[in-house]
Structures are given as C-alpha cells and as structure tokens.
Amino acid sequence: MILKDKVVIITGAGPGMGQAACRGAAREGAKVVVTARSKQAIEDVAHEIVAAGGEAIAVPLDVTDMDQCKAAAKAAVDKWGRIDGLVNSAYYHPDWGPLIEHDVEQVLQAFDVGAAGALRMAMAVYPTMKAQGSGSIVNISTLCTRKPMPGEGGYGMAKGALNHMTRHLAVEFGGSGIRVNTALMGWMMGAPLEGFIKSLGDGADAFRTQRASEIPVGHIPPDADCAKAVYFLLSDYASEVTGAMLDVNGGDWVAA
C-alpha cells in the first residue's frame, strides 16, 4: 500500500479516470476525498470504497468556484487533520471539431475548469501542505498536448496551460516540501471511451482493433492501470520527483 494513511483529494470523479483513481488510491491505503459536481455519483463511489474496507468521504465540488474548492480542502482537514495529496482530474471538453471553428466560450470554459480550476484547488490545499512541510499535487493532462489530435484543440490548449502550471508551481514551491507533477494520459479504456466506441455502431470493433494495433503495448491501456502512475507520483517513492511530465500512454508517444 504505497499511499497508506495519506489523505488525498481527487477532483473530477466522474465515470472514467477520476473514479478509477479514487478506487485505486483507496486500495493503496489512501483516505480519499471524492469530489465532482454530481452528488449522487461521488456518494456512490465513496460508499463503494467504505464498503470494501477503505476510508472515503464525498464532497460536491465545482472547481470553477473558489469557495467550493476551499470547502473541499476544509472537509479533508476536518475529517482527517491533513492533506497529503491532490489529484486535479476535473476537465471540460469543448465540442469536437477544428480549433479554428471552436466556440470560444467553450474554450474559455475548458481553461476555467481544467487549468484555472486546478490552480484554485492548489491554492486551497497550499496552506495546509505548507504548514505540514509536505504534499504532492498531481495534474492530469493529455497526450494531445504532445501529439495534436483533430477535434481536441480547445481541450489541448487548456491542458497545455495546466502543463505549464505544473512546472511553474514546482519551482515556486521550492523548499516547501510540496511536489507538483503531471501525468499525461493517452487513449484509455474506460466508460467514456467505451461509450464513444459503441457510438460507432458497425465500425466499433474495427476501430478498437486498429487503435490497439497502433499502440506499442498492443492494447488500449485501461484507465485503472493508467491511474497507477498517479499513485506513484503521490507516493513517497516519488519523493525526489517534482516538475516532471510523465507520459502514460502505452508508448503511443515516445518523449524525446
């Protein structure tokens, strides 16, 4: 259990990566603050964790609201007395299409949730982590910031800003004991992608087979397995790692 007794806040705990990270972090011994806008969804995940013998609380959270971000941090401290980790997984994805045709308001929403939302949460946990002299922030980014993909321009722009926030805060937090890193996820098999593949109808199986064949590991990485990289960055095994950009994509992109 590499996260034993660590208190970890995870944002964006909707279907997919966020929920997988909550469940996996709990299995690794973390006390998890499950957050998202959907009250029912996060309560279901928290109840599941507790039923399995773990510790979790559900806190409704819209990361575009600073007061709610502070309330999520306070809930963690009120329950367990500290905050050891923050996973910024919340995001908003503009409608698919060429960037030049994007609705600018949707692009701004992507920034507000994915980049500014992560900064709000960092601001919310910072006083506690600074007072402790320790903490780990892991920002969830995307392969499309390395390898631009059609339809993901606005989303990629927001995540690109998140990437820079990682580097900047890692330097700014020097000497505080707070580490900041990014895990850049590629194609992940989970509820969101399963839904997309099913929407392809008769072409679903062919798409799945082709996409898997294009990834060096030979399959589309499951979101629960990709989340393991996040636990590493949260853990003491990564005690000397900060400002890093970890590619988690099965070799779909091989960084220089």
Side-chain angles (χ1 to χ4, degrees):
M1 289 189 177
I2 65 172
L3 299 179
K4 185 171 175 56
D5 296 328
K6 291 188 181 294
V7 177
V8 178
I9 301 172
I10 300 178
T11 73
M17 175 70 195
Q19 287 189 6
C22 289
R23 296 186 183 101
R27 285 193 296 270
E28 290 294 341
K31 301 172 182 179
V32 184
V33 181
V34 183
T35 77
R37 290 182 299 170
S38 173
K39 185 173 184 290
Q40 187 60 56
I42 60 176
E43 287 182 348
D44 289 347
V45 173
H47 289 159
E48 179 184 331
I49 289 170
V50 172
E55 294 188 63
I57 57 173
V59 180
L61 171 64
D62 180 345
V63 297
T64 66
D65 185 320
M66 189 70 222
D67 287 340
Q68 291 189 37
C69 293
K70 290 179 179 178
K74 184 176 185 300
V77 174
D78 287 350
K79 178 68 174 178
W80 291 300
R82 59 185 298 113
I83 303 171
D84 298 292
L86 166 65
V87 180
N88 281 313
S89 184
Y91 73 93
Y92 170 81
H93 199 304
D95 294 338
W96 288 77
L99 177 59
I100 200 66
E101 297 174 7
H102 266 14
D103 180 330
V104 172
E105 292 304 314
Q106 290 191 0
V107 175
L108 292 174
Q109 180 72 359
F111 273 89
D112 199 17
V113 175
L119 178 57
R120 290 185 191 97
M121 283 304 302
M123 290 173 170
V125 303
Y126 176 69
T128 298
M129 289 184 172
K130 183 181 180 183
Q132 294 167 180
S134 65
S136 174
I137 298 173
V138 181
N139 297 318
I140 306 301
S141 188
T142 172
L143 171 64
C144 77
T145 62
R146 305 280 208 194
K147 179 182 179 182
M149 299 178 188
E152 296 210 90
Y155 173 68
M157 286 175 65
K159 289 297 189 179
L162 181 66
N163 294 351
H164 181 72
M165 189 190 89
T166 292
R167 293 189 292 267
H168 189 91
L169 289 184
V171 173
E172 196 167 280
F173 288 169
S176 70
I178 305 170
R179 300 181 294 105
V180 190
N181 294 290
T182 292
L184 295 94
M185 303 298 175
W187 287 78
M188 290 189 296
M189 191 54 70
L193 183 55
E194 288 284 6
F196 170 74
I197 292 174
K198 288 179 181 177
S199 75
L200 299 177
D202 293 341
D205 288 342
F207 176 86
R208 188 192 301 266
T209 300
Q210 178 181 341
R211 188 78 275 268
S213 71
E214 294 167 345
I215 299 174
V217 295
H219 59 265
I220 300 173
D223 54 13
D225 288 337
C226 292
K228 293 174 183 177
V230 176
Y231 316 148
F232 163 70
L233 292 172
L234 288 170
S235 79
D236 294 340
Y237 286 107
S239 63
E240 310 310 306
V241 181
T242 193
M245 315 290 284
L246 179 60
D247 292 289
V248 188
N249 54 54
D252 205 1
W253 170 265
V254 182

